[in-house]
Amino acid sequence: MIEITELTEEYLDAVTLLDAAVFPDSPWGRDSFKNNIINDYDYPVVALTDGNVVGYGIIRQIDAGEILLIGVSPEERRKGIGRMITNELLSWANRGENIFLEVREGNTAARKLYESAGFTEIARRRNYYRDPVEDAIIMMC
């Protein structure tokens, strides 16, 4: 069974390790995750299976909402975990405001997930990502 719960310091090391595996070229870093726990305008969550961190996500809501990060363990993908995390983040931020995110153009799985959650492409940032160079797709819900 998968449980989505708020990220606490108890899970910081596990989330940091998982993030480095999911995004080896641009890991978020322990200090960044810790700051997300402290900020009142951030809502960081983890997905747990039998107490083990298998996914995580962060949304920030100041004026509009912005999904900052979602990651799922490669071994646990295609089990609905990303959708559960997305739904939890959107539920927290669902205050009638627009919610934005950016995603690599080539990340087809993430783009399909976001589209199924109601996001649509509104803009591009040309050559935004490195290793490999790729456009960022800006999406809004």
Side-chain angles (χ1 to χ4, degrees), residues 17-85:
L17 287 173
L18 179 56
D19 184 60
V22 172
F23 298 107
D25 295 329
S26 58
W28 201 252
R30 190 177 199 285
D31 289 342
S32 293
F33 283 113
K34 188 167 185 171
N35 287 335
N36 295 123
I37 291 172
I38 297 167
N39 295 333
D40 291 336
Y41 46 83
D42 289 348
Y43 181 56
V45 299
V46 292
L48 304 172
T49 300
D50 298 322
N52 297 312
V53 174
V54 295
Y56 55 91
I58 304 166
I59 191 165
R60 173 171 289 159
Q61 181 134 11
I62 299 175
D63 292 327
E66 180 181 6
I67 293 179
L68 301 177
L69 190 64
I70 293 178
V72 176
S73 170
E75 300 81 25
E76 299 296 325
R77 291 183 181 154
R78 305 199 54 79
K79 296 181 180 178
I81 296 169
R83 180 174 310 284
M84 291 175 69
I85 293 168

